[in-house]
Amino acid sequence: VVMLPGPPREMQAMFSQEVRPLLAELGGGVLVSHNLRLFGIGESLVEKDLPPRLLDAANPTVALYAHDTEVRLRVSGRAPTRDDAEALIVPIVNQLAEQYREYVYGVDVPSLEAALVETLKAQSLTIATAESCTGGLLAARITAIPGSSEVFGYGIVSYANSAKLELLGVRQSTLAQFGAVSEETATEMAEGAKNLSGADIGVALTGIAGPDGGTPEKPVGLVWLAIASRHGARTKELRLSRGYQEERNLIRELAATNALAEALQEAKALT
Amino acid sequence: VVMLPGPPREMQAMFSQEVRPLLAELGGGVLVSHNLRLFGIGESLVEKDLPPRLLDAANPTVALYAHDTEVRLRVSGRAPTRDDAEALIVPIVNQLAEQYREYVYGVDVPSLEAALVETLKAQSLTIATAESCTGGLLAARITAIPGSSEVFGYGIVSYANSAKLELLGVRQSTLAQFGAVSEETATEMAEGAKNLSGADIGVALTGIAGPDGGTPEKPVGLVWLAIASRHGARTKELRLSRGYQEERNLIRELAATNALAEALQEAKALT
């Protein structure tokens, strides 16, 4: 029995420095895993389409994990050597990547933001953000990734309408006619972020995170997402309320997650 | 035995709607708690100075919790009625608030950011942010608080030097002479955020979150924090590395937490 402390920061270092070598010494072969990361599909839909023989197998194993809008499929195999284990699991990884290709944003990447930064780097692209309801969360998630300074230089948190007008160049007439939470404002925010920074991709979010500020036409959870690039601008309407009592931060997180996913798609399309 | 689901979002609603009324029906008196929130003092120093009779008592009880740089002291009392319970614990709360007055930023406030937003609101003050190493995290923590739009309108994430120059008005000569991570640049960023937005308080962070970018003179974990208001500008040098392997996000969180604490002090001083 190996006992480890609870705080992940302490546990992880002890595990890699002490426990892993100990386990290797004890033998028993090698356990290798690959993780497919999916966005935009629910856990139950993934599970429904998984071949039952994969879920029931003892080696290799397929495990399904869900967290908010993200799903992870972990494929693990045990064998005497790493190469043998890889030979067991790679065909299954490839099969699942093909089956869920619309939703898989990466294999063995830790997060959407890491996949985005990696993709931007590989293509020498840059991104800039303009945020209203998420208030800096999107920028914070991008800059959480080491080396993100290569791809991210400018982020604007335009909570006030005056910030949208003065910094991002949103037109007064757009705000007056359509409101701050609208497809039109989101589009001008994304274009503004792109133009202000000279980045290849501008991504914008404006919405109603609640708990106040909702109306029948624009309820809490309505978020407009816009992406601008040399391909022009496109938008997406999100309805993120799940009816929980304290869901402001859930709405903000989900809005940022959707923006990361759309920005990643845009980066891939800009090759 | 009451069994509840693990996810806090589900558990909390069930607890308040179902379990609390059930417990009240069962009798046994009322348990009332107040929480003192401390910043800037370590758990062990708080514990050393706590009167032992408080820690050993069965009713009321004093419990000490620590999370990164924050410490919470929970004082709880059980009595037949709420008023009786309050009478038991209020003297202890007041005694502890006096004993740790340098460090207590609030009683029964959920967080530093909530205390900041509440204080700014109460004084009709506004705040703007300029962030380099924290990349939007400070703005995201402020805007996580419902109603923060009353006190926060503008946030600039100036990861690129050009963003510091163009958006915040940092002088080229300052960057050239002192570098992006310097007291001088932090000061001009804070002043820039204040001037750009017309806010009462500008708060800026620039530092080296790592893992790369450190030098012997400016190691990973060095962060300059600056606050500008009508009282002028002041700065604080932070050394936030604790020597962990993956501490980029810890450094960013601690930098943002320090900025919230200093901004709260500034808001209190602007009465």
Side-chain angles (χ1 to χ4, degrees):
Chain A
V1 174
V2 176
M3 298 205 295
L4 293 165
R9 208 174 285 133
E10 296 166 21
M11 187 277 284
Q12 286 161 4
M14 289 188 192
F15 183 84
S16 35
Q17 288 162 34
E18 303 289 337
V19 182
R20 198 196 298 274
L22 182 73
L23 293 174
E25 264 177 45
L26 293 174
V30 182
L31 181 70
V32 178
S33 295
H34 291 304
N35 287 278
L36 291 102
R37 298 270 179 171
L38 286 77
F39 176 78
I41 181 172
E43 181 185 14
S44 53
L45 284 178
V46 175
E47 193 165 19
K48 193 171 68 66
D49 290 341
L50 274 178
R53 62 172 177 80
L54 285 183
L55 282 173
D56 298 339
N59 185 34
T61 61
V62 175
L64 176 65
Y65 301 93
H67 174 68
D68 288 336
T69 53
E70 288 202 46
V71 169
R72 178 162 61 97
L73 281 168
R74 192 194 63 196
V75 185
S76 305
R78 182 179 291 283
T81 70
R82 170 166 285 271
D83 284 351
D84 294 340
E86 291 281 3
L88 269 181
I89 61 176
V90 164
I92 296 172
V93 170
N94 292 341
Q95 175 194 332
L96 294 172
E98 173 60 23
Q99 181 176 345
Y100 298 103
R101 67 182 173 284
E102 281 175 81
Y103 307 106
V104 171
Y105 66 78
V107 177
D108 296 335
V109 290
S111 61
L112 261 173
E113 42 268 48
L116 174 63
V117 169
E118 194 180 288
T119 303
L120 292 168
K121 262 192 203 173
Q123 300 178 214
S124 300
L125 296 171
T126 56
I127 194 166
T129 54
E131 300 179 69
S132 191
C133 58
T134 45
L137 198 57
L138 175 60
R141 285 179 62 180
I142 294 171
T143 59
I145 307 302
S148 50
S149 56
E150 274 182 49
V151 302
F152 179 90
Y154 289 67
I156 303 293
V157 184
S158 56
Y159 238 48
N161 278 346
S162 55
K164 297 181 184 77
L165 298 167
E166 292 161 18
L167 296 177
L168 295 169
V170 173
R171 283 172 298 184
Q172 179 73 61
S173 59
T174 304
L175 284 177
Q177 192 177 347
F178 303 103
V181 179
S182 65
E183 182 168 20
E184 292 78 6
T185 297
T187 302
E188 293 184 19
M189 286 171 66
E191 285 167 344
K194 177 177 170 289
N195 296 338
L196 182 71
S197 62
D200 298 294
I201 299 172
V203 51
L205 288 164
T206 179
I208 299 152
D212 302 320
T215 63
E217 297 77 41
K218 297 184 178 181
V220 168
L222 170 66
V223 177
W224 279 100
L225 158 59
I227 303 266
S229 75
R230 63 166 200 268
H231 290 170
R234 60 189 176 82
T235 59
K236 193 169 175 180
E237 184 183 357
L238 307 170
R239 301 273 175 165
L240 302 173
S241 174
R242 295 179 175 186
Y244 296 125
Q245 279 197 322
E246 293 185 5
E247 59 179 359
R248 177 182 177 85
N249 286 316
L250 177 65
I251 289 170
R252 286 158 43 99
E253 283 290 348
L254 291 175
T257 303
N258 273 279
L260 292 167
E262 293 296 326
L264 177 58
Q265 275 198 5
E266 192 70 20
K268 287 179 177 169
L270 283 178
T271 41
Chain B
V1 174
V2 175
M3 299 206 293
L4 292 166
R9 209 173 287 134
E10 297 167 20
M11 186 276 284
Q12 285 162 4
M14 288 188 195
F15 184 83
S16 35
Q17 287 162 34
E18 303 289 335
V19 182
R20 197 196 298 274
L22 182 74
L23 293 175
E25 264 176 45
L26 292 173
V30 181
L31 180 70
V32 177
S33 295
H34 291 302
N35 286 279
L36 291 101
R37 299 270 178 171
L38 287 77
F39 176 78
I41 180 171
E43 181 185 12
S44 53
L45 285 178
V46 175
E47 192 164 20
K48 193 171 67 64
D49 290 342
L50 274 178
R53 62 172 177 81
L54 284 184
L55 282 173
D56 298 340
N59 185 32
T61 61
V62 175
L64 177 64
Y65 300 93
H67 173 68
D68 289 336
T69 53
E70 290 201 45
V71 170
R72 177 162 62 96
L73 281 168
R74 192 194 64 196
V75 185
S76 306
R78 182 180 290 281
T81 70
R82 170 167 286 271
D83 283 351
D84 293 341
E86 291 282 4
L88 268 180
I89 61 178
V90 165
I92 297 172
V93 170
N94 291 341
Q95 175 193 333
L96 294 172
E98 173 59 24
Q99 180 176 346
Y100 298 104
R101 66 182 174 284
E102 280 175 82
Y103 307 105
V104 171
Y105 67 78
V107 177
D108 296 333
V109 290
S111 62
L112 261 173
E113 43 269 48
L116 174 62
V117 169
E118 193 181 290
T119 303
L120 291 168
K121 262 191 201 172
Q123 299 177 215
S124 300
L125 296 171
T126 56
I127 193 167
T129 55
E131 300 179 68
S132 192
C133 58
T134 44
L137 198 58
L138 175 59
R141 285 179 62 179
I142 294 171
T143 59
I145 306 303
S148 49
S149 57
E150 273 182 50
V151 302
F152 179 89
Y154 289 67
I156 303 292
V157 184
S158 57
Y159 238 48
N161 278 345
S162 54
K164 295 181 185 75
L165 298 167
E166 292 160 19
L167 296 178
L168 295 169
V170 173
R171 283 171 298 185
Q172 179 72 61
S173 59
T174 303
L175 284 176
Q177 191 178 347
F178 303 104
V181 179
S182 64
E183 181 168 19
E184 292 77 5
T185 296
T187 302
E188 294 185 17
M189 286 171 66
E191 284 167 345
K194 177 178 170 289
N195 297 337
L196 182 70
S197 62
D200 298 294
I201 300 172
V203 51
L205 288 163
T206 179
I208 299 152
D212 302 319
T215 64
E217 298 77 39
K218 295 183 179 181
V220 168
L222 171 65
V223 176
W224 278 100
L225 159 58
I227 302 266
S229 74
R230 63 168 200 266
H231 290 170
R234 61 191 176 80
T235 59
K236 192 169 177 181
E237 184 183 357
L238 307 170
R239 301 273 175 165
L240 301 173
S241 175
R242 294 177 176 188
Y244 296 123
Q245 279 195 322
E246 294 184 8
E247 60 179 358
R248 176 182 178 84
N249 285 316
L250 177 64
I251 289 170
R252 286 159 43 99
E253 283 289 348
L254 291 176
T257 303
N258 274 278
L260 291 168
E262 292 296 326
L264 177 58
Q265 274 198 8
E266 193 70 19
K268 287 178 177 170
L270 282 179
T271 42

Short mmCIF file of all heavy atoms in Angstrom, two decimals, chain A residues 28 32 49 52 63 82-83 94 135 166 177 189 212 233 236 252-253 270:
data_model
loop_
_atom_site.label_atom_id
_atom_site.label_comp_id
_atom_site.label_asym_id
_atom_site.label_seq_id
_atom_site.Cartn_x
_atom_site.Cartn_y
_atom_site.Cartn_z
N GLY A 28 5.39 -6.45 -13.60
CA GLY A 28 3.96 -6.47 -13.92
C GLY A 28 3.65 -5.84 -15.25
O GLY A 28 2.50 -5.63 -15.59
N VAL A 32 -0.03 1.63 -20.65
CA VAL A 32 0.04 2.83 -21.48
C VAL A 32 -1.38 3.29 -21.79
O VAL A 32 -2.26 2.47 -22.08
CB VAL A 32 0.80 2.54 -22.79
CG1 VAL A 32 0.84 3.78 -23.68
CG2 VAL A 32 2.23 2.08 -22.49
N ASP A 49 -22.90 5.27 -28.65
CA ASP A 49 -22.29 4.82 -29.90
C ASP A 49 -21.01 4.02 -29.72
O ASP A 49 -20.40 3.58 -30.70
CB ASP A 49 -22.00 6.03 -30.80
CG ASP A 49 -23.29 6.65 -31.32
OD1 ASP A 49 -24.32 5.96 -31.29
OD2 ASP A 49 -23.25 7.82 -31.74
N PRO A 52 -19.97 -2.01 -27.60
CA PRO A 52 -19.99 -2.63 -26.27
C PRO A 52 -18.75 -3.48 -25.99
O PRO A 52 -18.26 -3.52 -24.87
CB PRO A 52 -21.26 -3.49 -26.28
CG PRO A 52 -22.11 -2.90 -27.35
CD PRO A 52 -21.18 -2.33 -28.37
N ALA A 63 -12.35 3.86 -21.19
CA ALA A 63 -13.12 4.50 -20.11
C ALA A 63 -13.58 5.86 -20.58
O ALA A 63 -12.90 6.54 -21.34
CB ALA A 63 -12.26 4.62 -18.86
N ARG A 82 6.43 -1.30 -23.60
CA ARG A 82 5.68 -0.15 -24.09
C ARG A 82 5.23 -0.36 -25.54
O ARG A 82 4.09 -0.04 -25.89
CB ARG A 82 6.56 1.12 -23.96
CG ARG A 82 6.02 2.36 -24.65
CD ARG A 82 6.75 3.62 -24.21
NE ARG A 82 6.35 4.02 -22.88
CZ ARG A 82 5.30 4.85 -22.63
NH1 ARG A 82 4.61 5.35 -23.62
NH2 ARG A 82 4.99 5.17 -21.40
N ASP A 83 6.11 -0.90 -26.37
CA ASP A 83 5.75 -1.12 -27.77
C ASP A 83 4.57 -2.08 -27.91
O ASP A 83 3.66 -1.85 -28.71
CB ASP A 83 6.95 -1.66 -28.57
CG ASP A 83 7.96 -0.57 -28.87
OD1 ASP A 83 7.63 0.62 -28.60
OD2 ASP A 83 9.06 -0.88 -29.34
N ASN A 94 -7.27 5.06 -33.02
CA ASN A 94 -7.56 5.52 -34.38
C ASN A 94 -9.01 5.28 -34.77
O ASN A 94 -9.64 6.13 -35.42
CB ASN A 94 -6.63 4.80 -35.38
CG ASN A 94 -5.19 5.25 -35.21
OD1 ASN A 94 -4.93 6.30 -34.62
ND2 ASN A 94 -4.26 4.44 -35.70
N GLY A 135 -15.43 38.39 -19.02
CA GLY A 135 -14.64 39.29 -18.17
C GLY A 135 -13.16 38.96 -18.03
O GLY A 135 -12.57 39.24 -16.99
N GLU A 166 -14.74 52.69 -27.55
CA GLU A 166 -13.45 53.38 -27.64
C GLU A 166 -12.30 52.44 -27.99
O GLU A 166 -11.41 52.80 -28.76
CB GLU A 166 -13.13 54.05 -26.29
CG GLU A 166 -14.08 55.21 -25.99
CD GLU A 166 -14.08 55.56 -24.50
OE1 GLU A 166 -13.12 55.15 -23.80
OE2 GLU A 166 -15.04 56.21 -24.05
N GLN A 177 -28.96 50.09 -31.82
CA GLN A 177 -29.99 49.35 -32.56
C GLN A 177 -30.16 47.91 -32.06
O GLN A 177 -31.28 47.42 -31.97
CB GLN A 177 -29.64 49.36 -34.05
CG GLN A 177 -30.79 48.87 -34.94
CD GLN A 177 -30.45 48.94 -36.42
OE1 GLN A 177 -29.46 49.57 -36.80
NE2 GLN A 177 -31.25 48.29 -37.24
N MET A 189 -17.00 43.45 -32.17
CA MET A 189 -15.99 43.24 -31.12
C MET A 189 -14.86 42.34 -31.63
O MET A 189 -13.67 42.62 -31.40
CB MET A 189 -16.62 42.63 -29.87
CG MET A 189 -17.49 43.57 -29.04
SD MET A 189 -18.42 42.69 -27.72
CE MET A 189 -17.07 42.15 -26.65
N ASP A 212 -28.62 38.80 -12.70
CA ASP A 212 -29.53 39.85 -13.17
C ASP A 212 -29.26 40.17 -14.63
O ASP A 212 -28.28 39.72 -15.21
CB ASP A 212 -29.35 41.11 -12.32
CG ASP A 212 -29.60 40.83 -10.84
OD1 ASP A 212 -30.55 40.08 -10.55
OD2 ASP A 212 -28.82 41.32 -10.00
N ALA A 233 -16.07 37.14 -40.90
CA ALA A 233 -16.55 36.95 -39.53
C ALA A 233 -17.69 35.95 -39.53
O ALA A 233 -18.48 35.88 -40.46
CB ALA A 233 -17.03 38.27 -38.95
N LYS A 236 -21.94 32.60 -33.50
CA LYS A 236 -22.66 31.45 -32.95
C LYS A 236 -23.47 31.94 -31.76
O LYS A 236 -22.95 32.67 -30.91
CB LYS A 236 -21.64 30.39 -32.52
CG LYS A 236 -22.26 29.04 -32.24
CD LYS A 236 -21.18 27.98 -32.07
CE LYS A 236 -21.78 26.65 -31.67
NZ LYS A 236 -20.74 25.61 -31.51
N ARG A 252 -20.16 31.50 -17.65
CA ARG A 252 -18.91 32.12 -18.10
C ARG A 252 -17.92 31.06 -18.58
O ARG A 252 -17.28 31.20 -19.62
CB ARG A 252 -18.30 32.96 -16.97
CG ARG A 252 -19.04 34.28 -16.73
CD ARG A 252 -18.82 34.87 -15.33
NE ARG A 252 -17.46 34.82 -14.86
CZ ARG A 252 -16.60 35.84 -14.89
NH1 ARG A 252 -16.97 37.00 -15.41
NH2 ARG A 252 -15.39 35.72 -14.40
N GLU A 253 -17.79 29.98 -17.82
CA GLU A 253 -16.85 28.92 -18.20
C GLU A 253 -17.26 28.28 -19.53
O GLU A 253 -16.42 28.03 -20.41
CB GLU A 253 -16.79 27.82 -17.12
CG GLU A 253 -15.97 28.16 -15.88
CD GLU A 253 -14.47 28.21 -16.14
OE1 GLU A 253 -14.00 27.77 -17.22
OE2 GLU A 253 -13.75 28.71 -15.26
N LEU A 270 -7.41 27.95 -41.21
CA LEU A 270 -6.55 29.01 -41.77
C LEU A 270 -5.24 28.48 -42.33
O LEU A 270 -4.36 29.25 -42.67
CB LEU A 270 -6.25 30.08 -40.70
CG LEU A 270 -7.35 31.08 -40.39
CD1 LEU A 270 -6.91 32.04 -39.30
CD2 LEU A 270 -7.77 31.87 -41.63
#
